[in-house]
Short mmCIF file of all heavy atoms in Angstrom, two decimals:
data_model
loop_
_atom_site.label_atom_id
_atom_site.label_comp_id
_atom_site.label_asym_id
_atom_site.label_seq_id
_atom_site.Cartn_x
_atom_site.Cartn_y
_atom_site.Cartn_z
N ASP A 1 27.42 32.97 57.39
CA ASP A 1 26.52 31.83 57.57
C ASP A 1 25.22 32.21 58.27
O ASP A 1 24.19 31.52 58.11
CB ASP A 1 27.22 30.71 58.34
CG ASP A 1 28.29 30.01 57.52
OD1 ASP A 1 28.40 30.30 56.31
OD2 ASP A 1 29.03 29.19 58.10
N ASN A 2 25.26 33.27 59.04
CA ASN A 2 24.05 33.71 59.75
C ASN A 2 23.39 34.91 59.07
O ASN A 2 22.47 35.51 59.63
CB ASN A 2 24.39 34.04 61.20
CG ASN A 2 24.66 32.79 62.02
OD1 ASN A 2 23.73 32.12 62.46
ND2 ASN A 2 25.93 32.47 62.20
N ASN A 3 23.85 35.22 57.86
CA ASN A 3 23.26 36.30 57.05
C ASN A 3 23.18 37.61 57.84
O ASN A 3 22.13 38.28 57.84
CB ASN A 3 21.87 35.90 56.55
CG ASN A 3 21.92 34.69 55.65
OD1 ASN A 3 22.71 34.64 54.70
ND2 ASN A 3 21.09 33.69 55.94
N LEU A 4 24.27 37.96 58.48
CA LEU A 4 24.29 39.16 59.31
C LEU A 4 24.78 40.38 58.54
O LEU A 4 25.63 40.26 57.64
CB LEU A 4 25.19 38.95 60.54
CG LEU A 4 24.84 37.77 61.44
CD1 LEU A 4 25.79 37.72 62.62
CD2 LEU A 4 23.39 37.83 61.90
N THR A 5 24.27 41.52 58.91
CA THR A 5 24.75 42.80 58.40
C THR A 5 25.34 43.56 59.58
O THR A 5 24.64 43.85 60.55
CB THR A 5 23.61 43.62 57.79
OG1 THR A 5 23.02 42.89 56.71
CG2 THR A 5 24.13 44.95 57.27
N VAL A 6 26.63 43.84 59.53
CA VAL A 6 27.30 44.52 60.63
C VAL A 6 26.89 45.99 60.65
O VAL A 6 27.11 46.73 59.67
CB VAL A 6 28.83 44.39 60.52
CG1 VAL A 6 29.52 45.14 61.65
CG2 VAL A 6 29.23 42.91 60.53
N ARG A 7 26.31 46.42 61.76
CA ARG A 7 25.86 47.81 61.91
C ARG A 7 26.77 48.63 62.81
O ARG A 7 26.87 49.85 62.64
CB ARG A 7 24.44 47.84 62.49
CG ARG A 7 23.39 47.10 61.67
CD ARG A 7 23.20 47.70 60.30
NE ARG A 7 22.07 47.08 59.59
CZ ARG A 7 21.76 47.35 58.31
NH1 ARG A 7 22.49 48.20 57.62
NH2 ARG A 7 20.72 46.73 57.76
N HIS A 8 27.41 47.97 63.77
CA HIS A 8 28.27 48.70 64.71
C HIS A 8 29.52 47.87 65.03
O HIS A 8 29.44 46.66 65.21
CB HIS A 8 27.55 48.98 66.02
CG HIS A 8 26.40 49.94 65.91
ND1 HIS A 8 26.57 51.30 65.84
CD2 HIS A 8 25.07 49.71 65.85
CE1 HIS A 8 25.39 51.88 65.75
NE2 HIS A 8 24.46 50.95 65.75
N LEU A 9 30.65 48.57 65.11
CA LEU A 9 31.90 48.02 65.64
C LEU A 9 32.20 48.83 66.90
O LEU A 9 32.52 50.01 66.81
CB LEU A 9 33.03 48.16 64.62
CG LEU A 9 34.38 47.47 64.87
CD1 LEU A 9 35.33 47.78 63.71
CD2 LEU A 9 35.05 47.86 66.17
N LEU A 10 32.08 48.20 68.06
CA LEU A 10 32.28 48.89 69.33
C LEU A 10 33.56 48.43 69.99
O LEU A 10 33.80 47.22 70.12
CB LEU A 10 31.09 48.63 70.26
CG LEU A 10 29.70 48.97 69.73
CD1 LEU A 10 28.65 48.63 70.79
CD2 LEU A 10 29.61 50.42 69.33
N ASN A 11 34.38 49.38 70.42
CA ASN A 11 35.57 49.06 71.20
C ASN A 11 35.35 49.47 72.65
O ASN A 11 34.97 50.62 72.92
CB ASN A 11 36.80 49.79 70.67
CG ASN A 11 37.34 49.23 69.38
OD1 ASN A 11 37.65 49.98 68.45
ND2 ASN A 11 37.48 47.92 69.29
N THR A 12 35.60 48.55 73.56
CA THR A 12 35.52 48.90 74.98
C THR A 12 36.62 49.87 75.37
O THR A 12 36.45 50.67 76.29
CB THR A 12 35.61 47.65 75.87
OG1 THR A 12 36.83 46.94 75.57
CG2 THR A 12 34.42 46.72 75.63
N HIS A 13 37.75 49.79 74.70
CA HIS A 13 38.85 50.74 74.86
C HIS A 13 39.80 50.53 73.69
O HIS A 13 39.58 49.63 72.87
CB HIS A 13 39.54 50.58 76.21
CG HIS A 13 40.20 49.25 76.45
ND1 HIS A 13 39.49 48.07 76.50
CD2 HIS A 13 41.50 48.91 76.62
CE1 HIS A 13 40.32 47.06 76.72
NE2 HIS A 13 41.55 47.55 76.77
N LEU A 14 40.86 51.34 73.63
CA LEU A 14 41.68 51.34 72.42
C LEU A 14 43.11 50.89 72.64
O LEU A 14 44.01 51.26 71.88
CB LEU A 14 41.65 52.74 71.78
CG LEU A 14 40.27 53.21 71.32
CD1 LEU A 14 40.34 54.62 70.74
CD2 LEU A 14 39.67 52.24 70.30
N HIS A 15 43.36 50.06 73.66
CA HIS A 15 44.66 49.40 73.75
C HIS A 15 44.83 48.48 72.53
O HIS A 15 43.85 47.97 71.98
CB HIS A 15 44.78 48.59 75.04
CG HIS A 15 45.00 49.42 76.25
ND1 HIS A 15 44.58 49.05 77.51
CD2 HIS A 15 45.60 50.64 76.42
CE1 HIS A 15 44.90 49.98 78.39
NE2 HIS A 15 45.52 50.95 77.75
N LEU A 16 46.08 48.27 72.16
CA LEU A 16 46.39 47.57 70.91
C LEU A 16 45.66 46.25 70.76
O LEU A 16 45.12 45.94 69.69
CB LEU A 16 47.90 47.32 70.83
CG LEU A 16 48.38 46.58 69.58
CD1 LEU A 16 48.17 47.42 68.34
CD2 LEU A 16 49.84 46.17 69.72
N ASP A 17 45.60 45.44 71.81
CA ASP A 17 45.03 44.10 71.68
C ASP A 17 43.54 44.13 71.35
O ASP A 17 43.00 43.14 70.84
CB ASP A 17 45.28 43.25 72.94
CG ASP A 17 44.82 43.90 74.23
OD1 ASP A 17 44.83 45.15 74.30
OD2 ASP A 17 44.46 43.17 75.17
N HIS A 18 42.87 45.25 71.61
CA HIS A 18 41.43 45.34 71.35
C HIS A 18 41.09 46.00 70.02
O HIS A 18 39.92 46.04 69.65
CB HIS A 18 40.74 46.07 72.50
CG HIS A 18 40.63 45.24 73.74
ND1 HIS A 18 39.46 44.64 74.15
CD2 HIS A 18 41.57 44.85 74.64
CE1 HIS A 18 39.68 43.95 75.26
NE2 HIS A 18 40.95 44.06 75.57
N VAL A 19 42.08 46.50 69.32
CA VAL A 19 41.81 47.18 68.04
C VAL A 19 42.43 46.47 66.84
O VAL A 19 42.36 46.97 65.72
CB VAL A 19 42.29 48.65 68.06
CG1 VAL A 19 41.60 49.41 69.20
CG2 VAL A 19 43.80 48.76 68.17
N LEU A 20 43.00 45.30 67.05
CA LEU A 20 43.71 44.61 65.97
C LEU A 20 42.80 44.28 64.79
O LEU A 20 43.27 44.17 63.66
CB LEU A 20 44.35 43.33 66.50
CG LEU A 20 45.55 43.51 67.43
CD1 LEU A 20 46.00 42.17 67.99
CD2 LEU A 20 46.70 44.20 66.72
N GLY A 21 41.49 44.12 65.02
CA GLY A 21 40.58 43.78 63.94
C GLY A 21 39.84 44.95 63.34
O GLY A 21 39.06 44.77 62.39
N ASN A 22 40.10 46.16 63.83
CA ASN A 22 39.32 47.31 63.35
C ASN A 22 39.49 47.55 61.85
O ASN A 22 38.51 47.83 61.14
CB ASN A 22 39.72 48.57 64.12
CG ASN A 22 39.14 48.60 65.52
OD1 ASN A 22 38.66 47.59 66.04
ND2 ASN A 22 39.17 49.75 66.15
N ALA A 23 40.71 47.46 61.37
CA ALA A 23 40.95 47.71 59.94
C ALA A 23 40.25 46.66 59.09
O ALA A 23 39.65 46.97 58.05
CB ALA A 23 42.45 47.73 59.66
N PHE A 24 40.31 45.40 59.51
CA PHE A 24 39.65 44.32 58.76
C PHE A 24 38.14 44.54 58.71
O PHE A 24 37.53 44.41 57.64
CB PHE A 24 39.96 42.97 59.41
CG PHE A 24 39.09 41.85 58.90
CD1 PHE A 24 39.29 41.31 57.64
CD2 PHE A 24 38.08 41.33 59.69
CE1 PHE A 24 38.49 40.28 57.16
CE2 PHE A 24 37.27 40.30 59.22
CZ PHE A 24 37.47 39.78 57.95
N VAL A 25 37.54 44.86 59.83
CA VAL A 25 36.09 45.06 59.86
C VAL A 25 35.68 46.26 59.01
O VAL A 25 34.72 46.19 58.24
CB VAL A 25 35.59 45.23 61.32
CG1 VAL A 25 34.13 45.65 61.35
CG2 VAL A 25 35.77 43.92 62.09
N GLU A 26 36.43 47.35 59.11
CA GLU A 26 36.09 48.52 58.29
C GLU A 26 36.23 48.21 56.81
O GLU A 26 35.37 48.57 56.00
CB GLU A 26 36.99 49.70 58.67
CG GLU A 26 36.68 50.95 57.85
CD GLU A 26 37.47 52.16 58.30
OE1 GLU A 26 37.75 52.30 59.52
OE2 GLU A 26 37.82 52.99 57.43
N ARG A 27 37.31 47.52 56.45
CA ARG A 27 37.55 47.19 55.04
C ARG A 27 36.51 46.22 54.50
O ARG A 27 36.06 46.33 53.36
CB ARG A 27 38.95 46.59 54.92
CG ARG A 27 39.40 46.26 53.52
CD ARG A 27 40.87 45.91 53.50
NE ARG A 27 41.19 44.73 54.29
CZ ARG A 27 41.89 44.75 55.42
NH1 ARG A 27 42.35 45.91 55.90
NH2 ARG A 27 42.14 43.65 56.09
N THR A 28 36.11 45.25 55.31
CA THR A 28 35.23 44.18 54.86
C THR A 28 33.75 44.57 54.91
O THR A 28 32.98 44.21 54.02
CB THR A 28 35.45 42.92 55.71
OG1 THR A 28 36.86 42.58 55.68
CG2 THR A 28 34.65 41.75 55.17
N TYR A 29 33.37 45.30 55.97
CA TYR A 29 31.94 45.57 56.19
C TYR A 29 31.59 47.05 56.11
O TYR A 29 30.41 47.41 56.25
CB TYR A 29 31.52 44.99 57.54
CG TYR A 29 31.79 43.51 57.62
CD1 TYR A 29 32.83 43.01 58.40
CD2 TYR A 29 31.03 42.60 56.87
CE1 TYR A 29 33.09 41.64 58.45
CE2 TYR A 29 31.30 41.24 56.91
CZ TYR A 29 32.33 40.77 57.70
OH TYR A 29 32.61 39.42 57.74
N GLY A 30 32.57 47.91 55.89
CA GLY A 30 32.29 49.33 55.73
C GLY A 30 31.83 50.03 56.98
O GLY A 30 31.14 51.05 56.91
N VAL A 31 32.22 49.49 58.14
CA VAL A 31 31.78 50.05 59.42
C VAL A 31 33.01 50.54 60.19
O VAL A 31 33.96 49.79 60.38
CB VAL A 31 31.03 48.99 60.25
CG1 VAL A 31 30.65 49.55 61.62
CG2 VAL A 31 29.78 48.53 59.51
N LYS A 32 32.97 51.78 60.62
CA LYS A 32 34.07 52.34 61.40
C LYS A 32 33.85 52.11 62.89
O LYS A 32 32.71 52.01 63.36
CB LYS A 32 34.19 53.84 61.13
CG LYS A 32 34.73 54.19 59.75
CD LYS A 32 34.84 55.69 59.59
CE LYS A 32 35.55 56.07 58.29
NZ LYS A 32 36.98 55.71 58.30
N ALA A 33 34.95 52.05 63.62
CA ALA A 33 34.88 51.80 65.05
C ALA A 33 34.30 52.98 65.81
O ALA A 33 34.47 54.15 65.43
CB ALA A 33 36.28 51.49 65.59
N GLU A 34 33.63 52.65 66.91
CA GLU A 34 33.09 53.64 67.84
C GLU A 34 33.70 53.37 69.21
O GLU A 34 33.71 52.23 69.69
CB GLU A 34 31.57 53.53 67.91
CG GLU A 34 30.87 53.73 66.57
CD GLU A 34 29.42 53.30 66.61
OE1 GLU A 34 28.65 53.87 67.43
OE2 GLU A 34 29.04 52.41 65.83
N ALA A 35 34.22 54.43 69.83
CA ALA A 35 34.85 54.29 71.15
C ALA A 35 34.82 55.65 71.83
O ALA A 35 34.41 56.66 71.25
CB ALA A 35 36.28 53.78 71.01
#
């Protein structure tokens, strides 16, 4: 709705609760996580 292009997926750390969406974001927007 805001016509955004995802450029970065940033994780503050990699405990399970903070990475649950990484696969979805990579699959949907083609952006890999940075941590």
Side-chain angles (χ1 to χ4, degrees):
D1 288 353
N2 287 280
N3 298 310
L4 303 182
T5 300
V6 178
R7 302 297 187 186
H8 293 281
L9 189 180
L10 305 180
N11 286 134
T12 56
H13 62 297
L14 297 178
H15 285 151
L16 179 67
D17 54 330
H18 286 256
V19 302
L20 289 174
N22 284 15
F24 167 74
V25 171
E26 180 175 326
R27 184 170 62 249
T28 306
Y29 303 107
V31 177
K32 289 181 172 291
E34 301 167 59

